Structure formats: structure tokens, C-alpha cells
Amino acid sequence: MSGPPASSPREESFRAPPAPPQPANTLVPGLSQTEAARRLAEHGHNEIQREQTRSPWGVLLGQFRSPMIALLLGAGGVSALLAEYADAVAIGAIVVLNALIGFLQEYKAEQALLALRSMTAPRARVMRDGYAVQLPSAEVVPGDVLLLEAGDVVAADARLMEAHALATNEAALTGESVPVDKAARAVAADAPLARRSDTVFLGTAVTRGTGMAEVTATGMGTELGKIAHLLASTSDTETPLEQRLAKVTRTLLVACLAIVVLVAALGLWRGNGWLTVLLSSISLAVAAVPEGLPAVVTTALALGVRRMAARHALVRRLQAVETLGSTTVVCTDKTGTLTTGTMEVREVWGDNSHAILFASAACCDASLGPDGKEGTGDPTELALLRAALTRGIRREELERERPRVAVRPFDSETKRMSILRADGVLYVKGALEVLLPRCRSATVSASRAAHELASRGLRVLAVARGEGPEEENLELLGLVGMADPPRPEAVEAVAAARAAGVRTVMITGDSAETAQAIGRELGILQPGEDVAERIHARATAADKLRIVRSWKERGEVVAMTGDGVNDAPALREAHIGIAMGRTGTEVTREAADLVLTDDNFATIITAIREGRAIYENIRKTLVYLLVGNVGELTLMLAASLVGLPLPLVPLQLLWINLVTDSLPALALVMDPARTELLARPPRKPDEPMLGHAQWRYILMVGTLEALLVLGVFIWADPARDLERARALAFCTLVFAELLRAFAARSSTRLYWEVGPLTNKPLLGIVVFSVVLQGVLYLLPPARELFGLGAMRPWELGLAFALGFLPVTVLETSKRVRRRKALHSQSGAC
């Protein structure tokens, strides 16, 4: 093995490595079993109250809370009361089918989340009646004496009685990525959580050393429990999609009621009977409601869920996928989300980096696993060993060739560690300000280098060596700068978010220097930008919640990501909470709408693109459906106003809405995402689902279809043969709406430019529906059920040819608008 020249062994006695401290002793007997039982009855079990998982019935009932579903149920109920049982059954089938699709998707997500659960500290070692015993962590009570060692998960909040080189990882609680040194020396009671070095906290992990601590709080009285209490002050936020669809539904409801009242009043004024008036009203109500909309929205979101699952994202709420498409601000935790969550040597300062890494490995207690990545021990030492391994330096070989003779463990008082090996060389690492006075070759340049490394957010460790057991007259070899490095894919993801007009805001428990350094490296903080706007350091759980609420109050659509318990309240408060599946705590995953199973920030950007595509597909499909509804309403209203019989009966209208419209609509939401979706800014939070341009298009095209079908109905002479006239009008409207689906795929590009084969389901559904419509006229039972008169083949062909008129007008108008745009551009040039 390569390394610095070995010194000759010295002929003197060396101090043997000190035995590991044994905190369990007869001087601290702990509680008696009787007293422990009494306190358990008084304080309750040491458990964090988990949010109740939704039962299957709760998930199912949640599918019926949309205004559109309420509107459909109302229409179905009225149909049943009026003995229009076919209509009632058809509407009921829509509602049930929509509920089952939503239930299956959300219940599957709930079950997957349960599979991710893991207990934070299933067992604990405590002193009882003078003996060390192991018991379920739920049975730990205030006053118990915890025995701690590396690898333990702390079972309760406890004040240290003894600490020997003890350090804990508190990232899940405070967001601090570096292990925190602990000591039995008391600190101020009002010290920040991250600075309470005399206390260990529930759910944190012991990374090195041993200790003994008296439990001061359990369960909901712990710091972790206080954060769980914060969750009660947050509320689930209605998603932008839910808000927009609710607004559209209210508009449809008002319009439907107004038209029904108008037609009913006209009918009664003309002296029509109550049955005729009721039939007209039901027909109009059926025509006004896009029955297929709930199924279309649910299918669009379910498809997004499936695509997201393939990209390592578990969606707990269907609407969460679309919400990401509306996101304007992503507030993200740093540790484990933007960064890898593991320490890494970023820079080595000194004349001989090989000698620096050799000495670092020689002064370590941690051990790497066979893969050279994972290991056991202090994260800082693991980072040093991984860096040394890149130079061919293996601690296992070092221990064989130069076994240790004496050890001084790291201590928060001395801030250094040293190991004397059999070659007579003493290897030392620690804080530079501690080592410099002990070095014979101390230089000002080392201090300047340390300051420069620290200013870039690196944790600086000095490395030295000497001869003999005393830590004096050392040779300073150099400095090692370490940090939790950014994920490579996170840099690209932050840039993609910026290009998409989405602001990334870092919220972390780390120091301001570390946070700003990582923020600049990731591209979150650009030159000239306000640091306070983009970076929030030393943030507590309450701070994170306040920051999310502040962005929401400014009208932004906020996503919050995190993995620690201290992130959970902010995740719940945000429009969409995103938890890490691998490193995330159970509390965090339960508070989230989306769980990233690969803990990859880049997956969020993929989800934003998916969300924008889903919104675009839902909007164009909604426009397609409403054009049909407006056409049907206008047709029925115009016929009533001029005194004609109803051109269509309720069952025919239901057939159009459920089969002719809904099947192509289900295919329209499958349109692939356009590549330019991330190249434009996000939608404004107050932008309606349907703006003036969409409503103008709906009214114009709907009126065109209504006039076409009304003309066919009048031409067929309903006074002579009403059933034949209805059959011809029915068939013309069906073909017109089916063929119009081809033009609905894009408002600017022609169908052939979009690509007929890029949405094969739509092509297949239109062909299938055309054939199915023809079959209705061939089967006598179907003709009788739908009240259809006999049609000759040429009349069926005529209806199909007339059905091409709306789609032809729409495709031609696209060409005209494009030519006008080109002409205006050339004129401007």
C-alpha cells in the first residue's frame, strides 16, 4: 500500500486505547418498574399521534364531493322522479364509473404509502432497577435513563448526564446536515433548537460516541411532537383545478336553471301541458350538462398518475398532478432534496493531497462497506475514507500494516482527534484554530485558505501529523473542505424550473454561508438577485410554515418539498406538498400530496411538465364538450322559441353526451405533451379555465352546429313525420360532433400537422362510434328505444356528409388566421 514513509517504531511505552465508556452503572439505577408503570399511566405512551389514514369508505365518499357530481346526481334524481328511468340509469352509471376510477387510483396510493412506513425508534435501552434493559420505545417515560451509542435512534427528548465523543444527526428535525456534537454541559434554556448541545431529541440518530441521558419529554411533548401539533394549524388547500372546475360548474348550473325556467315559462304561456313542459325542461337540463366531464377529468389525472409512477413519483391525490402545472414557486428543503444528504470531500488544500488523505484515513474510526460507498460511523469520517479510496488508500490495509497503538477520541471540548500508530506517527485531525498553536509549521496562508473555504459553505477540517504520543510540535499537512454536495440532476432541474418561469426558494436549517454557497452552485441564487427572497437559512418548522403562507398570500401557487419532520407542517400548508420517499420521515410522507420514491428534485420538473400537459388537455377537452352542449341547448331553445317540436328527446341527448362526446373526449385527454410546454411561463393563478377566447369559440361553433341540425330538422318536415325528422337531426349532430374532435386537438395546427397517428385511440374511437351510430338504425329494438324513424341509406350518407361541415369550417379558419398572421408579419418587416 502506498503512503508517506513510515517512521521507525519508538522504544517507549504508548498509552493503550481507552476502553469505551460504560454509562450504565450502579450510581444511576434509573426508575423502578413500578414507578415506570405509574408514569406510563400518567403520561401515556411515547408515541407521535399519527394522522388517521383514510379508510376505503372515506376515499370512496371523497369522490362524490365535486359540484359537477352534485349536478349530475340532481339531474338523475329528477329523471327518476319523472319515470325517465333510462336517463336516470345512464346518469347513475356515469357517476359510479367516475367514482370507481378515482377510488382505485387514490386507494392504491394510500396502500403504497403504508408500505413506506417505518418505525423511527422501535426499541430503546434504559436503566430499570439498576439494570440495563431493552424495551419498546413506546414504553419509555419521563425520568427514564437512556443509554446511547452509535447507530441508535433516540427514543425521546432527553438531557445528557454523560457524553463521550457523542454526536447526533438532527437533519430530520432541524435541517442541519452536519452531525451535532453533544456534551453534558448545560446551555441556556432559550437556545435555538440546533444549538442545544446538552439535549438529544426523539427521532434523531447517534452517529458516534456513547452517552447517558435522562428523559425530559415523551410523545407529543417532544420537539418532534410540537411539530406534529403544527400540522393541526394547517389546512388542505383546494387545488387550482378544483377551483376552476367548480367555477365552470357554477356557471353551467346558473345557465341551465335560467334556460329551463325560460323555456318552461314559454311553454306554460303557450298553454302546453305540464308533461310536455317537464319533458322540455329535462331535455334542456340533459343538453346543458357535460355528463362526461367528471370521467374525462378523472381519466386525465389517472393517466398522469400512471406516467408519474413510471418516473418515480407516487401521487396521493389525483389533483396534485395538475396542481404542479400551475406552480409558480417551489419552496424546497436543501439536505437530501437538492443535495445528496451525505458529506463529501469537495476540496483539499495543501502541498501533498495524497499525504493529507492518507493522514485523514489513518485518523478515523469509521468503516466503509465493500462497495466503497456505504459504511458505518461518523459521516465526516466516511467522507474522508471515500476521498482516500479514490487515491487507493484503504483503511483496512492501513490497520494491518500500521495498527493503532493509542487513541484520543474526538471531543467537543478539545475539537480534535488523534491516533498513534505502530510506525510511531501520530495522526491528528480537528479544527484549524485548535491545531495551529500545536504546529511547528503554522502559516498565515492556512488561515486565509480556511476562511476562503468556509466562505463557500464548506466545513473545514485541518490534518496534521507528528511523532510520539503528544499532540505537540506537529506538521500541518493541509486542509480538507467538505460539504453535502448538490445532486447533479438538481442543477439541471433548477435551470429548467427557471426557464419555465418557476421560482425555486431554498429553505434550510443550515448556516447562511452554507445555504448561500449551495444556492449559488445550484443556480437558485443568480447575481443581482435578493438573497432574502431566494435563500432562507436557520429555518425552523414554524419559519417554513410562515414562508409558505407568505408566498400564498402574494397569490402564488406554492409547492413545498422536504424530507424531515420539520418540513411536514409547511408541506401540508402548501398547495402541493412533496415528500422524499427514501429519506423522508413517516410524518412528512403522510402530510404530502406527492411522494418521490427516488428523492430526486428533477422529478418535480418532470411533474410540472406533466401537470401543464394535463391542464391543456383538460381545457381543450372541456371546450370540445361544451361546444356540443351549447349546440344542443341552442338547438332545443331555438326550436322551442319558434314553436317547433323538440328536435331531440332526452335519451338521444344522453346518448350524444355519453357516447358521441365522452368517448372522443376521453381520447383527447390522452394527447401527448407538447415539447414547448416548459418554455413558457406558468399560468396566472387567477386565470380562469375558460377565458373570453374559449367562450367565444364555444358559442360560435356551438351555434354553427345548432343551425346546421335545425336546418336539417326543418328540411325533414317534422309536421309530416316527426320520428324521421328527429332521426335525421340526431344522426347529423352525432356525426358533426364526432368529426369535430379531429379539429379540437389544436387551436392553431391542422389535424394532419398534429399527426393522425400521435393519438391512435381518438382515430379508433371516431371510426367505432360512426359504425355504432349506423347500427342503431339497423336494429329495430334500438330504434324503438331511441324513438328513431326508419332512414334510407342515402339519408344516412347525407347526414355523414353534412357532419363534415363544422370540422371543415374550423380547419379552414386555422389556415385563414395563419395566412393573416404571416401577412401582418411581412407587412411589419
Side-chain angles (χ1 to χ4, degrees):
M1 146 157 195
S2 61
S7 303
S8 301
R10 299 175 60 90
E11 300 294 334
E12 60 179 270
S13 60
F14 298 107
R15 284 179 286 175
Q22 303 295 326
N25 54 66
T26 56
L27 296 178
V28 187
L31 299 176
S32 67
Q33 292 290 1
T34 304
E35 177 61 17
R38 187 192 69 78
R39 296 190 184 193
L40 184 63
E42 178 184 350
H43 297 280
H45 283 88
N46 176 33
E47 295 175 331
I48 298 298
Q49 295 174 8
R50 294 195 183 102
E51 202 178 329
Q52 290 296 318
T53 304
R54 290 188 300 169
S55 67
W57 286 110
V59 176
L60 182 61
L61 291 174
Q63 310 305 316
F64 294 92
R65 291 175 183 160
S66 116
M68 179 60 72
I69 294 297
L71 189 59
L72 286 176
L73 288 173
V78 173
S79 299
L81 288 174
L82 297 174
E84 297 289 340
Y85 298 119
D87 299 353
V89 169
I91 293 173
I94 302 166
V95 173
V96 171
L97 180 62
N98 176 74
L100 286 176
I101 293 173
F103 167 78
L104 290 174
Q105 291 292 338
E106 294 195 22
Y107 185 66
K108 190 186 301 180
E110 290 288 334
Q111 296 306 301
L113 186 73
L114 287 175
L116 285 171
R117 279 186 166 181
S118 61
M119 296 296 290
T120 53
R123 302 193 68 80
R125 290 186 306 125
V126 302
M127 295 297 296
R128 291 279 173 89
D129 291 319
Y131 295 94
V133 297
Q134 193 173 63
L135 58 124
S137 61
E139 296 179 12
V140 172
V141 297
D144 261 329
V145 175
L146 291 177
L147 306 180
L148 305 170
E149 63 181 22
D152 286 349
V153 176
V154 180
D157 286 6
R159 184 165 290 109
L160 288 164
M161 305 164 68
E162 293 183 14
H164 304 274
L166 185 69
T168 60
N169 186 333
E170 299 178 351
L173 187 63
T174 66
E176 182 82 46
S177 58
V178 178
V180 180
D181 295 325
K182 297 293 182 177
R185 185 178 62 256
V187 299
D190 59 349
L193 194 64
R195 295 293 173 264
R196 296 183 196 171
S197 58
D198 63 338
T199 305
V200 291
F201 302 102
L202 170 64
T204 61
V206 179
T207 59
R208 68 164 182 263
T210 58
M212 183 167 59
E214 181 181 1
V215 174
T216 56
T218 60
M220 297 302 287
T222 62
E223 292 299 328
L224 191 149
K226 293 175 184 176
I227 292 174
H229 275 302
L230 278 178
L231 286 172
S233 70
T234 63
S235 58
D236 288 323
T237 304
E238 191 177 45
T239 68
L241 178 64
E242 290 171 327
Q243 295 170 352
R244 290 175 172 117
L245 287 178
K247 187 173 181 180
V248 170
T249 302
R250 287 193 295 269
T251 302
L252 290 175
L253 181 59
V254 171
C256 177
L257 289 174
I259 293 174
V260 167
V261 169
L262 174 63
V263 171
L266 283 173
L268 292 174
W269 179 68
R270 286 176 177 158
N272 295 333
W274 279 101
L275 188 61
T276 303
V277 171
L278 284 175
L279 182 62
S280 301
S281 300
I282 293 173
S283 299
L284 285 170
V286 170
V289 178
E291 287 86 353
L293 179 59
V296 164
V297 172
T298 303
T299 301
L301 297 175
L303 286 171
V305 167
R306 193 194 315 169
R307 287 194 286 262
M308 290 307 303
R311 292 172 172 84
H312 309 289
L314 171 65
V315 179
R316 296 188 63 206
R317 294 177 63 210
L318 291 181
Q319 289 81 2
V321 181
E322 186 279 331
T323 305
L324 271 171
S326 307
T327 299
T328 58
V329 174
V330 176
C331 296
T332 176
D333 182 43
K334 179 185 75 67
T335 306
T337 306
L338 293 171
T339 62
T340 62
T342 58
M343 295 297 289
E344 181 181 283
V345 173
R346 307 294 302 280
E347 289 191 38
V348 177
W349 178 89
D351 295 332
N352 189 338
S353 58
H354 186 277
I356 295 169
L357 293 175
F358 182 91
S360 299
C363 189
C364 276
D365 285 327
S367 298
L368 285 178
D371 61 357
K373 296 179 181 178
E374 301 299 325
T376 57
D378 183 82
T380 299
E381 292 193 343
L382 289 173
L384 293 171
L385 292 178
R386 281 191 289 266
L389 189 60
T390 62
R391 300 296 185 93
I393 303 168
R394 299 178 182 275
R395 189 193 151 205
E396 297 79 8
E397 297 177 10
L398 192 151
E399 294 290 352
R400 283 196 306 270
E401 298 175 7
R402 298 176 172 87
R404 59 181 63 193
V405 176
V407 178
R408 282 194 181 95
F410 180 89
D411 187 88
S412 58
E413 297 284 344
T414 63
K415 295 185 179 180
R416 64 183 185 276
M417 173 187 180
S418 65
I419 293 180
L420 179 67
R421 295 196 172 271
D423 57 5
V425 179
L426 183 73
Y427 299 94
V428 189
K429 71 177 190 294
L432 179 63
E433 65 270 19
V434 172
L435 262 59
L436 271 182
R438 300 174 180 272
C439 293
R440 63 177 180 269
S441 56
T443 61
V444 177
S445 59
S447 297
R448 285 200 299 264
H451 178 74
E452 196 274 332
L453 291 173
S455 69
R456 289 191 279 117
L458 300 180
R459 186 187 185 196
V460 181
L461 196 66
V463 181
R465 68 184 174 196
E467 293 191 11
E470 299 304 325
E471 297 174 347
E472 300 293 342
N473 200 28
L474 302 174
E475 175 191 0
L476 182 66
L477 296 174
L479 306 175
V480 178
M482 288 174 288
D484 178 8
R487 289 172 174 266
E489 66 274 7
V491 178
E492 298 177 5
V494 169
R498 186 179 286 271
V502 179
R503 278 174 287 198
T504 304
V505 177
M506 183 197 294
I507 310 176
T508 178
D510 273 339
S511 66
E513 295 80 7
T514 300
Q516 290 178 27
I518 293 292
R520 291 189 181 93
E521 191 170 354
L522 284 165
I524 293 174
L525 187 61
Q526 298 281 13
E529 290 184 336
D530 184 5
V531 175
E533 185 92 346
R534 296 283 186 170
I535 306 290
H536 299 272
R538 296 293 186 211
T540 64
D543 291 333
K544 295 182 179 187
L545 185 60
R546 175 183 52 77
I547 292 165
V548 169
R549 284 176 173 167
S550 174
W551 282 108
K552 287 175 63 179
E553 289 168 0
R554 292 162 66 174
E556 306 289 348
V557 177
V558 184
M560 173 71 194
T561 77
D563 59 354
V565 176
N566 62 334
D567 299 317
L571 260 65
R572 169 61 61 80
E573 182 68 26
H575 289 99
I576 178 166
I578 307 168
M580 303 296 114
R582 291 180 180 175
T583 59
T585 61
E586 181 182 340
V587 175
T588 311
R589 291 193 296 264
E590 287 184 343
D593 302 299
L594 190 71
V595 179
L596 304 184
T597 58
D598 61 351
D599 289 11
N600 191 341
F601 183 79
T603 304
I604 299 171
I605 308 306
T606 303
I608 288 176
R609 181 174 179 270
E610 189 66 45
R612 291 187 179 185
I614 287 172
Y615 180 85
E616 185 177 73
N617 285 344
I618 288 176
R619 180 156 73 172
K620 73 184 179 186
T621 304
L622 178 59
V623 169
Y624 169 77
L625 288 172
L626 289 181
V627 165
N629 289 109
V630 167
E632 295 160 23
L633 262 178
T634 305
L635 170 66
M636 305 294 282
L637 183 60
S640 297
L641 290 174
V642 298
L644 290 172
L646 293 175
L648 301 172
V649 296
L651 192 58
Q652 292 171 349
L653 288 165
L654 270 177
W655 174 266
I656 293 171
N657 288 352
L658 298 184
V659 179
T660 305
D661 288 354
S662 296
L663 290 180
L666 290 173
L668 278 173
V669 296
M670 299 179 189
D671 260 353
R674 294 187 290 118
T675 55
E676 66 269 21
L677 283 175
L678 283 180
R680 65 189 189 194
R683 300 182 302 278
K684 294 180 179 179
D686 57 350
E687 177 187 312
M689 173 73 81
L690 301 176
H692 294 301
Q694 286 79 31
W695 280 115
R696 185 166 58 250
Y697 177 91
I698 289 168
L699 292 173
M700 289 177 62
V701 180
T703 302
L704 172 64
E705 283 190 358
L707 292 176
L708 169 66
V709 177
L710 185 63
V712 170
F713 182 68
I714 294 172
W715 174 80
D717 195 1
R720 186 168 59 88
D721 189 343
L722 179 58
E723 285 195 349
R724 175 180 170 274
R726 280 176 173 166
L728 193 57
F730 176 47
C731 204
T732 302
L733 184 56
V734 165
F735 290 143
E737 297 200 5
L738 284 173
L739 296 171
R740 182 171 50 80
F742 294 133
R745 292 189 65 191
S746 173
S747 60
T748 57
R749 292 181 295 170
L750 302 177
Y751 176 66
W752 300 106
E753 294 171 340
V754 175
L757 299 182
T758 56
N759 192 335
K760 295 177 184 176
L762 178 62
L763 191 60
I765 282 173
V766 170
V767 172
F768 168 77
S769 298
V770 167
V771 173
L772 185 63
Q773 186 68 21
V775 170
L776 287 182
Y777 293 90
L778 298 177
L779 299 177
R783 287 205 308 270
E784 184 177 351
L785 177 65
F786 285 90
L788 301 174
M791 285 181 63
R792 291 182 287 273
W794 73 267
E795 291 177 318
L796 202 59
L798 175 64
F800 186 71
L802 290 172
F804 271 100
L805 181 60
V807 68
T808 302
V809 170
L810 291 175
E811 294 292 89
T812 302
S813 67
K814 292 178 188 177
R815 284 184 174 275
V816 171
R817 289 199 306 271
R818 186 183 301 173
R819 287 176 181 173
K820 285 184 177 179
L822 289 173
H823 180 72
S824 61
Q825 288 176 4
S826 61
C829 294

